[in-house]
C-alpha cells in the first residue's frame, strides 16, 4: 500500500476541467452543441476508379450556441474532439477562464445569502431556470405547505448555490445534507425576506407574491395534464425486493409531494434529493426521507454521527447514489430542465435499474455495452483494436469511476522512443523485461505482450483528490492506444476480482495487486466500502469450466475456431426451473462476435465454442450467476424475479457457431516478428526489384496494394506497374493508396521517380491476359495458398509459359513454422500418452488458406515448374533463418528466365482494367 498523508485538497492536483465541463458549469442546458459532418475533400479519394468507393472517412465540425454567442470549431475526426474544440473557443472568446471564484469566507457567506435572496425575489419566478419552476409549483402546494420551497431543492438544482457551498466547506461536494444546512443558515440571515420552517427543511417568502402572479401560476398549471410516472422503490430492508411503482403526477400539485407521499412522508420538504445517477445528462436521482437528526448535527460542521441510525441506512440506495440514504427510497427520472417549463420525466423500468446496478461492477459496463450481460465478459487482453468488440477499456474505466463518484482516472503515457538510444536505465530495462522468448510468447498464446515504445500508467483519485490506486505496468507497446487500453483493462480486472471476492484479506489483495502492477492506498477501501454488502447474492461463474456438451448438432464443417480468431455465434439464454418445465427466455443475440481464447465470454461458452465447427449447435446449463445480472438481462424483470425466488433454477445456453474469421496470421505476424512479417516480405521483394533494374512489374494477387505502395516509396528503375486481384475491396484500397502516392511523386521537387503508368485489373491470375505479357518482373506474395493446389500449379504454368517475366518472386507460408507460431500442443496430449508420439497437427494460419506447404513441398512445386519452363530457381525467405529449424516463416522462390522461353502470343481472357494512371494525363505542376 502507498501511504498517503492526511487527505488534503490540493488545488494543483485537481484535474483541470474539460472545456465542455466548464461550459456546462456555466450554462447547463443553455449550451447547445450542433455537430455536422464535413465531407472530406477527395484528396485521398481516387478519381477514375470504376469500383464504387467506400465513402471517405467523415470529419466533424461543431457549432456551439450560447446565449451570448455562437462559435464554430475546426474539423476533427471525432465528434467529441469537435465539441471540445468549440467549447474551448467559446471559453477563449468569453474570457471564462480568468474568473476564478476566490472570495474570503465572509464574502462567500454574503454571496450565499445574496443568492438565496435573489432566488426569492419577484423576478426569479419568471426567470428561465429549472429552480423557478419549483418556486411556482410551491405556490400551488396544498394547505399549510403552500408557498414553501424545500431547501433540498435549492441545494440540488442551483449550481451557483452549490458552488458557493463547496467553497465554504469542500465536503459539500459529496454531502447534500451539508449543502442544505448551509443554505438554511444563509436563509436565516435574511429574516426580513424569508421564513424558515421549524424543521429548517423549507423556506418561504415573508411577503407573499402579488395576487396576479399567483393566479397566473395557478392558471398555467390548469392547462397541463397529469402524467403517470414509472419509478423504482428501493426498500430499506434488503429482504424486500426492489420493485416498480407507478406514481401519478397531477398537473396542479407539486411532483415532489407525490414522491413524498409514496414514501409515506408528509410532504416535499421531508425528502432529500440525491445527485444524478448514471449518464451526465440524466435526471435520475434517488428520493428519500431527510434524516433530520443528521441535519441538526451538521450545524456543527463535520460532526456526523451516523452510528445511531445505522439500522435505517438504505444500503442499496446508498451504494447506488454514492451518498448516504436512509429509509425507503425511490429512484425516479423526473425534473425541470432549462429547456422548458414542463416537467420532463422518463420511465425507469426494473430492467434499467438492474442495468445501472450491473454497470457499477467494474466489468459491468462492458457487458452492458455488448448487450450481452449473460454471455460477455471483460476480455483478458487488449489484443488488437480490430478484434475488440464493445466499449473500450479506457471508456469503461472512466464510466466506472464516474458511477462510483471518483475523479476521472488520470492516464499518463510515456514514449521511450527517444530514450532507447540514450542509456537511461529505467526505460531500457522496461523494454528488456518484456522481451519474451518466442517460446514464452507462444506459450502465452494471444496474451503475448508485444514490446514497443509506449507505456502508460493510471492513477485513480477520489473526488477529494485522495489517491486510491495507481497502476504502472512494465509492458510497453508499439501503439499508444494499445498501452492505454491495456493498462485500463488491467485495472478493471483487478477491481473485478476485488468486487467478486469479498473474503480477500488486505494482504491477499495486496499480493494480487502486485501481479497487476497495482498499488492501492487505504483510501481505496473507503471508496468501495459498500460494494461487498450489495453484491452479495449468487455465485459468480468466472472459473473456467470443463463443460460437458450434451450434444453437438450439425455436420462438422471442419472450420473450427482457434485462439485469436473471431467467432460469430447466435445464442439464447433461458431460465430453467429445476424439477418443473418452466423455461423463461432471458437474453439472446442473433450475431455475437468475440475473440476466441481471450476470455471474452463466459468460460462455459468459450469452452463450448472451442469444441464446435461452423454450422454446429449445442446447449448446456450453468449454475445461476448474480441474480442482478439475470434481472438486468431479462426483458421482463418482474416475471423473472418471481420465477427466481421460489424454486431452484439453472441457466440454459443454446449456441450456434455461425462463422469464424480474422485468423491468427496477421496478429501472429505482428506479435512475433519485428518488423511484422508482411513488411519483411515486401521489403525482400522491393530489394530484389531494385537489384534487377527492370522497367515493368506486375503484382499477381496484389490485395490492397501493400507491395505497389512500398515500391513507390523508394527510387527504382520501374516505369510501369500493374496489379491484379479478384477482390474488389482489395483493389479499391490499392487504387487509393497508389493514387495518392503517385500524385505526391509528381511534385517537381521530387523528380526521383521514373514512373510513367500504373494500372489495376480485376482478373483471375490462373488465366492469361495478353495485356500483361512481357512485363520484366512479376511478384506473387502470399497468394498461391489461397487457391486449390491444382490451381497453384496452373498459375505456375500460365505465368512462366505465357506471361513469361524475366523474374518471378513467389512467397507462401512455411507450414513447418506453424509449430512456433501456434505453440501447437494438440488438445488432450497430457491426458493421453499415446497421442504424444503422433505428428503434431498445426492449423493453417488463415481460414482462407487452401493449403500450406512444407519446405519440401514448396521446393518440389517450384523446381518442377522451373525445369518445365526453362527457368532457374533459388529459395529464400523471411522470418527465422534458412539454416535454423524449421526454416523461414515465409518461404520465397525466385525464378529467373533462361534464354529460351515462352512467347505468350496465345490469346487469353481479358482482365478488366478498373483503374489506371499515367503521367501524361496528369497536370504538370510548377514551371513547365
Ligand atoms: N499480395 C498481397 C495480398 C495477399 S492475400 C499481400 O502480400 O499483401 C491473397 C490475395 O490473393 C487476396 O487479395 C486474394 O483476393 C488474391 N487471390 C486469391 N486467388 C486469386 C486468383 N485466382 N486471382 C487473383 N487474385 C487472387
Ligand atoms: Mg495468405
Amino acid at each position: 500500500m502507498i501511504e498517503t498523508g492526511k487527505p488534503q485538497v490540493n488545488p494543483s492536483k485537481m484535474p483541470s476541467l474539460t472545456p465542455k465541463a466548464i461550459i456546462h458549469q456555466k450554462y447547463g442546458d443553455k449550451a447547445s452543441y450542433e455537430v455536422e459532418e464535413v465531407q472530406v475533400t477527395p484528396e485521398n479519394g481516387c478519381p477514375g476508379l470504376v469500383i464504387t468507393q467506400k465513402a471517405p472517412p467523415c470529419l466533424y465540425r461543431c457549432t456551439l450556441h450560447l446565449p451570448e454567442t455562437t462559435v464554430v470549431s475546426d474539423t476533427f475526426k471525432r465528434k467529441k474532439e469537435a465539441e471540445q474544440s468549440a467549447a474551448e473557443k467559446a471559453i477563449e472568446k468569453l474570457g471564462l477562464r480568468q474568473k476564478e471564484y476566490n472570495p474570503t469566507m465572509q464574502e462567500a457567506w454574503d454571496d450565499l445569502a445574496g443568492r438565496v435572496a435573489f432566488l426569492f425575489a419577484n423576478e426569479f419566478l419568471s426567470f428561465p431556470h429549472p429552480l423557478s419552476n419549483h418556486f411556482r409549483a410551491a405556490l400551488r402546494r396544498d394547505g399549510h405547505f403552500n408557498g414553501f420551497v424545500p431547501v433540498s431543492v435549492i441545494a440540488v438544482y442551483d449550481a451557483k448555490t452549490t458552488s458557493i457551498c463547496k467553497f465554504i466547506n469542500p465536503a459539500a461536494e459529496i454531502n447534500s445534507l451539508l449543502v442544505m444546512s448551509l443554505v438554511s443558515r444563509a436563509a436565516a440571515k435574511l429574516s426580513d425576506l424569508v421564513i424558515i420552517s421549524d424543521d429548517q427543511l423549507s423556506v418561504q417568502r415573508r411577503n407573499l407574491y402579488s395576487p396576479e402572479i399567483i393566479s397566473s401560476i395557478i392558471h398555467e398549471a390548469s392547462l397541463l395534464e397529469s402524467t403517470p410516472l414509472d419509478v423504482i422503490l428501493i426498500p430499506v430492508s434488503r429482504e424486500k425486493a426492489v420493485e416498480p411503482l407507478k406514481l401519478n403526477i397531477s398537473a396542479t400539485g407539486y411532483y415532489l409531494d407525490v414522491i413524498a407521499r409514496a414514501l409515506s412522508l408528509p410532504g416535499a420538504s421531508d425528502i432529500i434529493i440525491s445527485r444524478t445517477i448514471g449518464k451526465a445528462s440524466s435526471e435520475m436521482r434517488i428520493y428519500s426521507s431527510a434524516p433530520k437528526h443528521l441535519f441538526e448535527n451538521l450545524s456543527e460542521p463535520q460532526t456526523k454521527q451516523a452510528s445511531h441510525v445505522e439500522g435505517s441506512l438504505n444500503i442499496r440506495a446508498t451504494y447506488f447514489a454514492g451518498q448516504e440514504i436512509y429509509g425507503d427510497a425511490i429512484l425516479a427520472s423526473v425534473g425541470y430542465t432549462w429547456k422548458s417549463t414542463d416537467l420532463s420525466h422518463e420511465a425507469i423500468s426494473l430492467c434499467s435499474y438492474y442495468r445501472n446496478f450491473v454497470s457499477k461492477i467494474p466489468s459491468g459496463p462492458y457487458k452492458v455495452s455488448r448487450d450481452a450481460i449473460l454471455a460477455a465478459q471483460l476480455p483478458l487482453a487488449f489484443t488488437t483494436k480490430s478484434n475488440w468488440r464493445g466499449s473500450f477499456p479506457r471508456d469503461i474505466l472512466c464510466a466506472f469511476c464516474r458511477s462510483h463518484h471518483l475523479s476521472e482516472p488520470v492516464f499518463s503515457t510515456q514514449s521511450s522512443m527517444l530514450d532507447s538510444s540514450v542509456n537511461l536505465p529505467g526505460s531500457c530495462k522496461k523494454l528488456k523485461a518484456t522481451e519474451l522468448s518466442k517460446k514464452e510468447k507462444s506459450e502465452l498464446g494471444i496474451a503475448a505482450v508485444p514490446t514497443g515504445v509506449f507505456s502508460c500508467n493510471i492513477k485513480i483519485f477520489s473526488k477529494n483528490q485522495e489517491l486510491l490506486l495507481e497502476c504502472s505496468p512494465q509492458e510497453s507497446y508499439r501503439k499508444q492506444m494499445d498501452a492505454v487500453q491495456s493498462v485500463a483493462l488491467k485495472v478493471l480486472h483487478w477491481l473485478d476480482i476485488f468486487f467478486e471476492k469479498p473474503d480477500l484479506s488486505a494482504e491477499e489483495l495486496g499480493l494480487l495487486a502486485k501481479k497487476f502492477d497495482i498499488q492501492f492506498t487505504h483510501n481505496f477501501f473507503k471508496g468501495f466500502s459498500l460494494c461487498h454488502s450489495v453484491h452479495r447474492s449468487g455465485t459468480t461463474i468466472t472459473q473456467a469450466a470443463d463443460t460437458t456438451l450434451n450434444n453437438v448438432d450439425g455436420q462438422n464443417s471442419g472450420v473450427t475456431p482457434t485462439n485469436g480468431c473471431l467467432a460469430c455465434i447466435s445464442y439464447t439464454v433461458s431460465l430453467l426451473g429445476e424439477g418443473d418445465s418452466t423455461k423463461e427466455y432471458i437474453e439472446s443475440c442473433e450475431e455475437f462476435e468475440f475473440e476466441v481464447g481471450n476470455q471474452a465470454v463466459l468460460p462455459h461458452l468459450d469452452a463450448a465454442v472451442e469444441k464446435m465447427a461452423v454450422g454446429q449447435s449445442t446447449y448446456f446449463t450453468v449454475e445461476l450467476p448474480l441474480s442482478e445480472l439475470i434481472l438486468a438481462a431479462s426483458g421482463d424483470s418482474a416475471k423473472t424475479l418471481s420465477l427466481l425466488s421460489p424454486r431452484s433454477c439453472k441457466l440454459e445456453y443454446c449456441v450456434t457457431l455461425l462463422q469464424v474469421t480474422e485468423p491468427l496470421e496477421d496478429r501472429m505476424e505482428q506479435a512475433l516478428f519485428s518488423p511484422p512479417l508482411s513488411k519483411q516480405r515486401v521489403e525482400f521483394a522491393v530489394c530484389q526489384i531494385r537489384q534487377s533494374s527492370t522497367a515493368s512489374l506486375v503484382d499477381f494477387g496484389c490485395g490492397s496494394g501493400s507491395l505497389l505502395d512500398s515500391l513507390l516509396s523508394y527510387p527504382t528503375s520501374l516505369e510501369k506497374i500493374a496489379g491484379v486481384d479478384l477482390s474488389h475491396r482489395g483493389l479499391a484500397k490499392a487504387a487509393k493508396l497508389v493514387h495518392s502516392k503517385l500524385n505526391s511523386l509528381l511534385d517537381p521537387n521530387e523528380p526521383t521517380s521514373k514512373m510513367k503508368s500504373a494500372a489495376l485489373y480485376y482478373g483471375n491470375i490462373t488465366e492469361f491476359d495478353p495485356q500483361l505479357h512481357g512485363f520484366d518482373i512479376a511478384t506473387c506474395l502470399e497468394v498461391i495458398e489461397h487457391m486449390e493446389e491444382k490451381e497453384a500449379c496452373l498459375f505456375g504454368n500460365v505465368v512462366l509459359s505465357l506471361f513469361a517475366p524475366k523474374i518471378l518472386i513467389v512467397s507462401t507460408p512455411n507450414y513447418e513454422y506453424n509449430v512456433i507460431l501456434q505453440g501447437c500442443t494438440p488438445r488432450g496430449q497430457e491426458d493421453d500418452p499415446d497421442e504424444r508420439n503422433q505428428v503434431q497437427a498445426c492449423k493453417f494460419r488463415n481460414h482462407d488458406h487452401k493449403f500450406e506447404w512444407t519446405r519440401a513441398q514448396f521446393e518440389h512445386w517450384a523446381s518442377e515448374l522451373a525445369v518445365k519452363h526453362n527457368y532457374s530457381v533459388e529459395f529464400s525467405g523471411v522470418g527465422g533463418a534458412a539454416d535454423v529449424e524449421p526454416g523461414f516463416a515465409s518461404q520465397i522462390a525466385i525464378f529467373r528466365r533462361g534464354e529460351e522461353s515462352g512467347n505468350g502470343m496465345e490469346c487469353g481472357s481479358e482482365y478488366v482494367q478498373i483503374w489506371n494512371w499515367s503521367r501524361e494525363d496528369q497536370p504538370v505542376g510548377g514551371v513547365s
Side-chain angles (χ1 to χ4, degrees):
M1 291 221 284
I2 321 166
E3 281 309 317
T4 53
K6 259 194 187 166
Q8 263 182 346
V9 184
N10 176 353
S12 65
K13 259 170 61 185
M14 297 283 258
S16 53
L17 290 172
T18 63
K20 267 186 86 174
I22 293 171
I23 293 292
H24 183 78
Q25 272 189 349
K26 183 161 166 71
Y27 295 98
D29 291 352
K30 277 196 282 186
S32 88
Y33 293 84
E34 194 185 304
V35 178
E36 59 181 322
E37 293 187 358
V38 186
Q39 224 47 56
V40 186
T41 40
E43 186 180 273
N44 57 353
C46 185
L49 174 60
V50 217
I51 305 167
T52 37
Q53 297 180 45
K54 227 171 93 188
C58 160
L59 294 181
Y60 297 97
R61 181 189 295 134
C62 174
T63 308
L64 170 57
H65 302 278
L66 295 174
E68 302 89 324
T69 186
T70 294
V71 289
V72 182
S73 76
D74 299 328
T75 55
F76 293 88
K77 278 205 191 123
R78 292 158 143 244
K79 285 184 188 171
K80 274 188 203 159
E81 291 169 346
E83 288 177 357
Q84 293 292 3
S85 150
E88 181 62 46
K89 286 198 165 178
I91 290 167
E92 293 290 315
K93 189 165 174 185
L94 302 171
L96 293 181
R97 254 200 243 285
Q98 278 103 49
K99 281 186 224 143
E100 259 187 33
Y101 184 63
N102 205 5
T104 63
M105 199 49 89
Q106 184 55 48
E107 283 165 349
W109 275 107
D110 291 347
D111 284 347
L112 187 56
R115 183 65 185 174
V116 174
F118 168 76
L119 298 176
F120 281 91
N122 271 329
E123 302 76 58
F124 185 69
L125 269 194
S126 51
F127 200 77
H129 188 295
L131 199 50
S132 66
N133 297 297
H134 287 269
F135 277 68
R136 287 199 298 278
L139 292 171
R140 300 193 296 261
R141 294 180 75 186
D142 295 333
H144 71 275
F145 289 132
N146 187 275
F148 271 105
V149 179
V151 173
S152 61
V153 160
I154 302 173
V156 163
Y157 294 111
D158 185 35
K160 182 130 192 206
T161 300
T162 32
S163 64
I164 303 172
C165 289
K166 267 184 237 169
F167 182 82
I168 294 173
N169 185 341
E173 167 87 46
I174 47 165
N175 188 339
S176 44
L177 273 173
L178 181 57
V179 181
M180 287 165 68
S181 100
L182 295 174
V183 169
S184 68
R185 277 167 71 190
K189 298 182 181 174
L190 304 165
S191 53
D192 47 343
L193 187 66
V194 298
I195 303 167
I196 306 177
S197 64
D198 294 340
D199 57 11
Q200 303 184 36
L201 289 173
S202 50
V203 185
Q204 186 187 27
R205 242 167 82 118
R206 190 166 283 282
N207 303 315
L208 293 179
Y209 294 97
S210 73
E212 296 83 59
I213 292 182
I214 292 179
S215 74
S216 81
I217 285 167
I218 308 274
H219 175 70
E220 147 198 305
S222 63
L223 300 174
L224 302 171
E225 283 171 17
S226 50
T227 43
L229 182 63
D230 289 305
V231 302
I232 297 291
L233 178 68
I234 309 173
V236 63
S237 156
R238 283 202 293 151
E239 305 313 314
K240 293 190 192 157
V242 170
E243 58 182 61
L245 202 66
K246 248 193 200 339
L247 302 183
N248 192 34
I249 307 293
S250 80
T252 50
Y254 183 24
Y255 76 92
L256 287 176
D257 281 326
V258 178
I259 293 177
R261 277 196 295 277
L263 288 168
S264 314
L265 298 170
S269 304
D270 301 280
I271 54 183
I272 173 167
I273 306 167
S274 80
R275 56 185 160 208
T276 57
I277 291 164
K279 277 180 282 168
S281 58
S282 113
E283 258 307 315
M284 184 154 56
R285 296 173 189 266
I286 286 180
Y287 299 81
S288 59
S289 156
K292 290 172 200 162
H293 40 275
L294 284 188
F295 193 61
E296 281 147 22
N297 288 332
L298 274 171
S299 41
E300 298 301 314
Q302 298 198 333
T303 56
K304 204 169 60 167
Q305 292 174 0
S307 53
H308 66 285
V309 284
E310 211 147 67
S312 64
L313 186 73
N314 186 324
I315 304 239
R316 287 178 293 198
T318 299
Y319 177 68
F320 218 79
Q323 62 193 76
E324 283 171 17
I325 304 241
Y326 294 88
D328 291 344
I330 280 178
L331 176 70
S333 177
V334 57
Y336 294 110
T337 65
W338 288 93
K339 290 195 190 100
S340 111
T341 53
D342 296 341
L343 193 63
S344 79
H345 58 89
E346 227 180 293
I348 302 190
S349 65
L350 209 46
C351 178
S352 62
Y353 166 80
Y354 283 113
R355 285 197 168 220
N356 269 286
F357 189 92
V358 165
S359 292
K360 300 204 75 161
I361 305 171
S363 58
Y366 182 76
K367 295 174 199 265
V368 172
S369 78
R370 298 230 54 194
D371 208 7
I373 291 164
L374 296 176
Q377 279 200 153
L378 199 54
L380 184 65
F382 187 81
T383 52
T384 60
K385 192 178 164 203
S386 59
N387 271 15
W388 189 267
R389 298 290 179 277
S391 297
F392 285 114
R394 179 190 29 201
D395 300 332
I396 298 170
L397 188 62
C398 292
F400 172 83
C401 288
R402 233 171 285 136
S403 83
H404 286 272
H405 304 283
L406 306 173
S407 292
E408 289 282 302
V410 180
F411 289 79
S412 33
T413 45
Q414 294 90 36
S415 156
S416 49
M417 187 99 72
L418 302 170
D419 309 347
S420 55
S421 56
V422 188
N423 201 1
L424 283 180
S427 60
C428 291
K429 257 192 213 142
K430 255 186 216 164
L431 280 170
K432 276 248 180 65
T434 52
E435 284 286 3
L436 299 176
S437 70
K438 267 182 197 158
K439 184 161 169 289
E440 277 174 307
K441 276 182 182 170
S442 56
E443 271 166 12
L444 283 171
I446 49 148
V449 180
T451 61
V453 291
F454 292 102
S455 56
C456 178
N457 72 50
I458 294 184
K459 286 194 177 114
I460 296 182
F461 296 95
S462 71
K463 269 276 188 289
N464 298 334
Q465 301 310 306
E466 301 157 335
L467 181 65
L468 303 191
L469 76 82
E470 181 172 359
C471 179
S472 347
Q474 301 278 301
E475 294 91 357
S476 55
Y477 298 83
R478 268 198 211 100
K479 294 183 189 145
Q480 186 164 2
M481 159 96 169
D482 293 348
V484 168
Q485 303 297 358
S486 299
V487 65
L489 190 55
K490 212 167 218 194
V491 172
L492 286 168
H493 276 299
W494 182 76
L495 285 169
D496 226 22
I497 298 175
F498 170 75
F499 268 64
E500 277 180 6
K501 302 214 165 116
D503 318 326
L504 281 183
S505 67
E507 289 78 66
E508 287 170 311
L509 196 62
L511 278 178
L512 200 61
K514 248 195 204 132
K515 281 198 203 150
F516 283 79
D517 303 312
I518 285 173
Q519 290 187 293
F520 57 94
T521 69
H522 57 272
N523 290 320
F524 173 78
F525 295 101
K526 268 199 289 177
F528 300 100
S529 55
L530 280 182
C531 71
H532 290 144
S533 40
V534 176
H535 300 286
R536 47 156 197 172
S537 52
T539 48
T540 48
I541 39 172
T542 46
Q543 292 310 306
D546 187 29
T547 317
T548 18
L549 293 183
N550 298 312
N551 56 0
V552 177
D553 294 334
Q555 275 200 342
N556 188 339
S557 60
V559 183
T560 54
T562 41
N563 283 359
C565 67
L566 289 175
C568 183
I569 59 170
S570 71
Y571 73 86
T572 59
V573 186
S574 316
L575 197 60
L576 288 188
E578 246 173 45
D580 56 34
S581 57
T582 46
K583 180 165 173 174
E584 170 79 0
Y585 147 91
I586 309 275
E587 179 177 285
S588 77
C589 186
E590 301 255 304
E591 277 182 21
F592 182 80
E593 210 171 31
F594 66 96
E595 191 174 27
V596 174
N598 198 12
Q599 297 179 20
V601 287
L602 190 72
H604 306 68
L605 194 51
D606 224 346
V609 167
E610 272 185 41
K611 292 176 190 150
M612 296 165 74
V614 167
Q616 291 184 324
S617 305
T618 191
Y619 65 93
F620 56 88
T621 58
V622 302
E623 298 296 326
L624 292 191
L626 275 178
S627 59
E628 283 86 1
L629 288 177
I630 302 175
L631 292 163
S634 164
D636 188 348
S637 309
K639 184 168 178 206
T640 305
L641 193 60
S642 72
L643 286 172
L644 272 178
S645 44
R647 62 202 104 199
S648 58
C649 297
K650 288 202 165 201
L651 281 184
E652 183 190 68
Y653 287 72
C654 297
V655 194
T656 303
L657 181 58
L658 302 173
Q659 207 187 332
V660 170
T661 43
E662 186 75 7
L664 295 165
E665 196 174 20
D666 274 4
R667 227 199 17 249
M668 283 299 187
E669 291 194 350
Q670 291 222 1
L672 297 175
F673 298 95
S674 181
L677 206 54
S678 53
K679 197 159 177 214
Q680 293 192 37
R681 271 191 303 263
V682 166
E683 278 170 4
F684 180 94
V686 170
C687 192
Q688 292 289 325
I689 292 157
R690 291 181 60 176
Q691 279 171 16
S692 70
S693 310
T694 46
S696 58
L697 171 136
V698 54
D699 187 21
F700 289 115
C702 61
S704 17
S706 57
L707 176 66
L708 298 175
D709 179 58
S710 297
L711 276 174
L712 296 170
S713 307
Y714 302 91
T716 64
S717 51
L718 291 174
E719 294 173 5
K720 193 173 157 190
I721 55 172
V724 190
D725 206 290
L726 271 180
S727 156
H728 280 295
R729 241 177 85 182
L731 286 166
K733 271 195 195 163
K736 273 179 210 166
L737 263 181
V738 175
H739 176 86
S740 69
K741 198 49 113 6
L742 281 168
N743 276 359
S744 70
L745 291 181
L746 280 179
D747 187 341
N749 300 324
E750 235 182 279
T752 42
S753 173
K754 301 195 172 83
M755 199 59 65
K756 291 196 181 122
S757 79
L760 291 173
Y761 298 87
Y762 175 84
N764 186 342
I765 59 172
T766 58
E767 289 163 13
F768 175 60
D769 182 330
Q771 295 178 84
L772 297 180
H773 169 73
F775 274 60
D776 293 331
I777 192 163
T779 47
C780 183
L781 304 185
E782 306 294 292
V783 178
I784 56 171
E785 72 278 5
H786 292 264
M787 318 175 186
E788 298 299 339
E789 290 194 30
K790 260 201 294 192
E791 287 178 295
C793 293
L794 179 59
F795 165 72
N797 284 321
V798 168
V799 183
L800 297 187
S801 69
L802 301 174
F803 288 106
K806 283 185 197 139
I807 298 173
L808 168 68
I809 303 171
V810 178
S811 87
T812 194
N814 169 12
Y815 179 67
E816 294 161 89
Y817 202 88
N818 290 8
V819 183
I820 290 183
L821 293 179
Q822 294 162 16
C824 63
T825 324
R827 230 174 251 129
Q829 190 195 26
E830 287 80 16
D831 318 349
D832 191 350
D834 293 344
E835 274 186 22
R836 216 170 278 172
N837 296 327
Q838 290 185 3
V839 181
Q840 291 196 347
C842 282
K843 295 190 184 278
F844 290 160
R845 298 182 197 178
N846 182 321
H847 281 292
D848 194 45
H849 287 178
K850 305 294 185 301
F851 64 83
E852 281 177 13
W853 283 337
T854 60
R855 283 167 291 178
Q857 287 171 306
F858 182 56
E859 282 165 21
H860 178 249
W861 171 82
S863 310
E864 219 168 51
L865 278 175
V867 169
K868 190 164 162 193
H869 301 288
N870 190 22
Y871 274 74
S872 69
V873 61
E874 70 180 278
F875 296 96
S876 182
V878 291
D883 47 2
V884 179
E885 282 302 307
F888 289 113
S890 259
Q891 41 189 350
I892 300 177
I894 304 156
F895 298 84
R896 287 175 215 278
R897 200 170 68 192
E899 293 311 311
E900 301 279 310
S901 71
N903 52 21
M905 284 302 118
E906 211 173 292
C907 296
S909 73
E910 287 257 315
Y911 290 171
V912 186
Q913 190 182 74
I914 55 130
W915 174 81
N916 84 343
W917 177 97
S918 90
R919 191 177 280 268
E920 280 70 51
D921 298 346
Q922 306 303 316
V924 184
V927 203
S928 53

